[in-house]
Amino acid sequence: MIRKAKAVWQGTGRAGSGHLTAASGVLDETPYSFKTRFESEKGTNPEELIAAAHAGCFTMALAFGLQGAGFTPTELATEAAVTLEPEGQGFRISRSALTLRAKVPNLDEAAFARFAGEAEKNCPVSKVLNATITLDAKLVQ
């Protein structure tokens, strides 16, 4: 299975702007820029999207793990806080902190911690944060 998204940028890093589009349509030329990333202008940014992906992936992985063990959560609410910090001439994502508040009837704390730990370790987005990246770059005229 392959999922795709596209970024288009025009101009310089600080003064330019771009938009993001996802094949599903959930992002449809959604604006992003220096100001949406490093200031508070309306729009999105890559780190926010990674945070949403990590929260969503982890929460779904946990739901599947609980289901497989016969537990039905009433609610799983996860927030991911992605940290972007300077590194050399650029930046790096140094952390994704997951905060989970869960309501799962008939589940004890030890089992809950085990399921949550497994979900964090095995969700595909957790894995991609340490993935091999490939690049096919061509200059077109």
Side-chain angles (χ1 to χ4, degrees), residues 78-96:
T78 305
E79 177 182 85
V82 169
T83 301
L84 180 69
E85 63 184 25
E87 179 180 69
Q89 295 296 316
F91 293 86
R92 74 181 185 105
I93 293 173
S94 60
R95 182 175 187 199
S96 180

Side-chain angles (χ1 to χ4, degrees), residues 1-132:
M1 173 184 330
I2 295 174
R3 302 288 189 211
K4 294 184 179 183
K6 182 178 180 180
V8 175
W9 188 268
Q10 296 162 332
T12 64
R14 185 174 289 273
S17 64
H19 61 266
L20 302 166
T21 301
S24 68
V26 71
L27 297 173
D28 186 14
E29 297 191 5
T30 302
Y32 79 117
S33 66
F34 178 88
K35 290 181 179 181
T36 66
R37 193 171 194 186
F38 298 105
E39 297 175 9
S40 58
E41 186 173 285
K42 188 169 176 65
T44 193
N45 59 72
E47 293 73 34
E48 176 182 73
L49 297 172
I50 289 170
H54 201 192
C57 182
F58 163 77
T59 305
M60 185 180 277
L62 179 55
F64 273 111
L66 291 168
Q67 175 187 337
F71 295 100
T72 302
T74 304
E75 180 176 84
L76 303 172
T78 305
E79 177 182 85
V82 169
T83 301
L84 180 69
E85 63 184 25
E87 179 180 69
Q89 295 296 316
F91 293 86
R92 74 181 185 105
I93 293 173
S94 60
R95 182 175 187 199
S96 180
L98 298 170
T99 302
L100 167 65
R101 298 298 174 258
K103 296 177 186 171
V104 185
N106 304 314
L107 183 63
D108 65 61
E109 287 288 335
F112 173 71
R114 189 175 67 253
F115 284 116
E118 287 296 313
E120 187 280 323
K121 183 174 66 176
N122 292 313
C123 106
V125 174
S126 289
K127 292 177 181 180
V128 80
L129 295 175
N130 289 313
T132 298

